[in-house]
Amino acid sequence: SGFPSQLKSGLSKVGVPTGLLDFLFSWADAPENYPKIPEAKGAISAIQSEAFFVPLFELYLTYGGIYRLTFGPKSFLIVSDPAIAKHILRENSKAYSKGILAEILEFVMGTGLIPADGEIWRVRRRAIVPALHQKYVTAMINLFGEATDRLCRKLDAAASDGEDVEMESLFSRLTLDIIGKALFNYDFDSLTNDTGIVEVFLLIPFLLVPVIREQAVYTVLREAEDRSVAPIPLWEIPIWKDISPRQRKVATALKLINTTLDDLIAICKRMVDEEELQFHEEYMNEQDPSILHFLLASGDDVSSKQLRDDLMTMLIAGHETSAAVLTWTFYLLSMEPGVMAKLQEEADSVLGDRFPTIDDMKKLKYATRVINESLRLYPQPPVLIRRSLEDDKLGDYPIKRNEDIFICIWNLHRSPKQWDDADKFNPERWPLDGPNPNETNQNFRYLPFGGGPRKCLGDMFATFETVVALSMLVRRFNFQMALGAPEVKMTTGATIHTTEGLKMTVSRRIKPPIVPTLEMPAFEVDKPVGVP
Ligand code: HEM
């Protein structure tokens, strides 16, 4: 009603065709026929202060499952509703791209699998997914065990010396060592390497062994995280790149990583050329089971730039995420001794002193539930980013193309509408004999690995990795918050970090007696040698 409709009826009376009038006045009708997305007001100052998804949760409680957040000329749609998340991620995923995420990460991931869209993504996903086959994952379990064992030895020394340990950085080293081996058979050896200051890169020409120190990787990671929360993209200003010491450092680190990856690719190519192994579905080189080796042996026809982009993408995807999961799991456990005791009991009875095997993955049920629950409370990343490529409808609301959208996994995972006692760390909410919770059986209220075609391809890898590390660590040690440790607060990057680390006191557990299992031929073992 109002002026537009008076004008419309007036024009109709003077003979303008109704079809044309409907078209001309559709803009005026729209707000009447369609509900408008609620707009969150006065949020900007709040957003700058803390981990940015915390105020988004407060606004969700006020404005509901979809609302608009405006910063000057820019606005974002904040989605915290399972049905809308499902629509964007699965039902109409073709209509969405990675948007600002791709723009922010371009400098480090290029057109790697996470930022890539369209045809490049399709081709690369099809090439890479087969590399994570059953036999590969089985081999990786040994790798998880060996790397965790190195961490155990470090903790053992700390326990002897009565020194507190900062677990967040140790977990970061653990998962870096693992992902380097898993992706391109490269040993960062960051757990045994403590220096971590001086040279970023050391090339030993006569051996042709490039040694990349984790420093370069960290420089780039920090930069990616800072860029994702920076209000102004300073790094896009040409001169800034050359004069800012920090941007120069980033550029050097990137060059270094590229050279190193090129060298690793070249070494791997030579290995593939020399080996006799026939390529098949579950192809794996025992000496080098890495994903890179699989890709090269499969005859993956791809530029070395794209291959580098994909490796770098997976290095980042698989490193910080798993480290953050372990960090927050141990933080949660420090407040729930009952859960810890149950976890230790399971590790004792399933593993004893052994390294975990693939068969144990089915048996370490409680450890798996602890990880499931940790991922509910601390999803990594806490927010998924998308941009609409065409007009669409989200719930009741029509939206235009080019909308930037945040799917708030944090909100979904902590919604009082979705969960009983939403903030409580309660692994028991997932029955041991039930299915492993995932986005499908939880109907998109639980999205630890995303969903739809862009779902994480490392989900099984990451679950086994964290279950192995968790079980082996709690089997050997007790963990407590260190006396006088800084309060554990969250800060945001791509994943959720602590502001000042996770300082813990680690003590050796007194080994419980290993109860003989049925398979053990007890009477033969007991019989003293030489006695008739
Ligand atoms: C994508 C979580 C470990 C490789 C994703 C997504 C999530 C996620 C939520 C979806 C992103 C989106 O839709 O925008 C996690 C968590 C991990 C983990 C919580 C650890 C606990 C890994 C590992 C790898 C990996 C170990 C590699 C071996 C990828 C890749 C994608 C992805 C390549 C992009 C897939 C695509 O777009 O087709 N991850 N991830 N992730 N993840 Fe993971």
Side-chain angles (χ1 to χ4, degrees):
S1 60
F3 178 69
S5 66
Q6 279 170 18
L7 183 64
K8 190 175 169 185
S9 74
L11 287 174
S12 150
K13 276 178 200 144
V14 298
V16 182
T18 12
L20 179 61
L21 285 173
D22 285 346
F23 173 73
L24 286 174
F25 284 83
S26 57
W27 60 272
D29 287 342
E32 291 172 38
N33 295 347
Y34 297 107
K36 202 159 170 285
I37 296 177
E39 230 171 285
K41 301 255 160 52
I44 301 160
S45 57
I47 300 288
Q48 287 164 343
S49 56
E50 35 191 331
F52 75 90
F53 50 86
V54 175
L56 296 186
F57 183 77
E58 297 303 319
L59 293 170
Y60 156 59
L61 296 180
T62 313
Y63 295 97
I66 178 167
Y67 63 86
R68 183 183 296 283
L69 196 62
T70 306
F71 304 87
K74 193 92 209 75
S75 86
F76 296 88
L77 295 180
I78 312 296
V79 169
S80 321
D81 175 85
I84 298 178
K86 186 179 182 180
H87 176 83
I88 296 170
L89 294 176
R90 181 182 283 170
E91 289 160 359
N92 199 20
S93 63
K94 285 192 307 298
Y96 295 87
S97 73
K98 292 284 177 112
I100 38 173
L101 183 86
E103 288 161 15
I104 290 170
L105 294 179
E106 209 277 332
F107 83 104
V108 50
M109 294 189 185
T111 55
L113 208 51
I114 287 184
D117 282 308
E119 192 54 22
I120 295 186
W121 169 76
R122 220 179 335 278
V123 169
R124 296 316 296 152
R125 174 106 188 177
R126 206 172 294 153
I128 293 170
V129 167
L132 288 99
H133 52 65
Q134 180 77 29
K135 198 168 153 197
Y136 170 77
V137 174
T138 308
M140 288 304 106
I141 290 185
N142 296 331
L143 170 67
F144 303 154
E146 284 158 18
T148 308
D149 192 53
R150 274 189 279 170
L151 175 55
C152 285
R153 273 180 247 163
K154 232 181 151 74
L155 295 181
D156 209 54
S160 297
D161 300 345
E163 270 176 27
D164 292 338
V165 282
E166 202 287 282
M167 294 303 292
E168 187 171 33
S169 65
L170 288 176
F171 285 139
S172 181
R173 287 160 180 244
L174 172 72
T175 59
L176 181 65
D177 284 0
I178 289 174
I179 201 73
K181 275 303 254 187
L183 279 178
F184 30 72
N185 198 29
Y186 184 81
D187 205 344
F188 283 98
D189 209 8
S190 67
L191 271 176
T192 35
N193 235 319
D194 253 340
T195 52
I197 331 156
V198 214
E199 87 279 50
V200 169
F201 182 67
L202 178 67
L203 189 67
I204 310 169
F206 62 94
L207 280 176
L208 276 173
V209 180
V211 178
I212 178 175
R213 302 302 279 265
E214 72 265 27
Q215 231 53 39
V217 176
Y218 283 128
T219 302
V220 171
L221 282 176
R222 283 290 92 76
E223 179 67 10
E225 297 202 335
D226 289 350
R227 286 188 185 193
S228 40
V229 292
I232 304 165
L234 283 177
W235 59 90
E236 280 179 9
I237 303 168
I239 308 160
W240 183 258
K241 273 195 217 128
D242 305 324
I243 55 168
S244 149
R246 168 142 175 203
Q247 291 304 318
R248 278 174 34 197
K249 197 171 161 206
V250 170
T252 312
L254 274 175
K255 209 185 269 167
L256 194 60
I257 291 167
N258 285 345
T259 326
T260 310
L261 287 178
D262 281 341
D263 289 343
L264 288 170
I265 292 169
I267 291 167
C268 191
K269 271 206 177 109
R270 271 203 299 279
M271 268 179 94
V272 170
D273 286 346
E274 281 161 21
E275 78 191 8
E276 319 230 297
L277 224 54
Q278 204 63 31
F279 185 80
H280 60 288
E281 219 170 80
E282 288 230 305
Y283 165 93
M284 195 181 85
N285 181 309
E286 303 284 343
Q287 271 74 56
D288 172 11
S290 72
I291 290 181
L292 173 61
H293 202 109
F294 179 97
L295 290 175
L296 292 176
S298 75
D300 185 22
D301 184 20
V302 67
S303 70
S304 58
K305 160 85 169 71
Q306 181 64 46
L307 196 51
R308 269 192 337 238
D309 286 351
D310 287 326
L311 294 173
M312 197 59 203
T313 299
M314 287 191 278
L315 183 69
I316 295 175
H319 170 217
E320 292 272 304
T321 43
S322 300
V325 172
L326 287 168
T327 301
W328 292 105
T329 302
F330 275 76
Y331 170 68
L332 289 164
L333 286 170
S334 74
M335 296 178 295
E336 294 288 345
V339 175
M340 182 58 128
K342 251 175 107 169
L343 199 54
Q344 288 178 322
E345 201 178 284
E346 179 184 82
D348 288 341
S349 73
V350 174
L351 295 181
D353 273 339
R354 287 189 296 108
F355 275 42
T357 64
I358 185 83
D359 289 333
D360 295 323
M361 295 306 103
K362 288 185 229 88
K363 297 178 194 152
L364 293 168
K365 286 185 181 181
Y366 194 66
T368 308
R369 294 294 172 263
V370 167
I371 295 296
N372 300 147
E373 181 69 348
S374 167
L375 269 166
R376 185 182 68 81
L377 287 172
Y378 294 92
Q380 316 290 350
V383 164
L384 300 182
I385 298 174
R386 291 293 188 276
R387 179 177 293 152
S388 58
L389 296 169
E390 46 193 72
D391 295 359
D392 194 11
K393 204 170 169 207
L394 298 183
D396 295 332
Y397 306 106
I399 64 154
K400 294 280 173 212
R401 64 186 287 265
N402 261 327
E403 288 276 17
D404 283 312
I405 301 170
F406 283 3
I407 299 172
C408 258
I409 309 189
W410 175 275
N411 290 357
L412 283 166
H413 284 191
R414 289 191 179 237
S415 167
K417 272 195 243 165
Q418 302 294 338
W419 310 93
D420 294 332
D421 241 341
D423 286 338
K424 170 122 177 90
F425 175 55
N426 177 22
E428 276 72 16
R429 77 173 74 236
W430 312 106
L432 283 190
D433 49 4
N436 285 327
N438 59 37
E439 76 286 4
T440 304
N441 61 34
Q442 297 299 308
N443 208 8
F444 280 71
R445 69 174 177 158
Y446 181 67
L447 297 172
F449 295 105
R454 303 303 298 257
K455 182 174 173 173
C456 181
L457 52 76
D459 59 343
M460 196 193 264
F461 181 109
T463 305
F464 290 169
E465 176 188 21
T466 47
V467 165
V468 165
L470 175 64
S471 297
M472 284 179 71
L473 287 168
V474 303
R475 155 88 190 143
R476 298 254 314 251
F477 304 100
N478 286 315
F479 294 83
Q480 278 169 308
M481 291 304 291
L483 228 65
E487 192 194 339
V488 178
K489 284 183 286 192
M490 294 184 291
T491 175
T492 331
T495 57
I496 311 172
H497 299 276
T498 70
T499 47
E500 293 170 79
L502 180 67
K503 198 103 195 241
M504 299 192 106
T505 303
V506 179
S507 51
R508 258 180 237 114
R509 286 180 68 213
I510 315 223
K511 272 187 201 154
I514 294 176
V515 185
T517 60
L518 286 176
E519 293 100 3
M520 230 161 102
F523 53 91
E524 279 182 29
V525 171
D526 285 343
K527 197 153 82 180
V529 182
V531 174

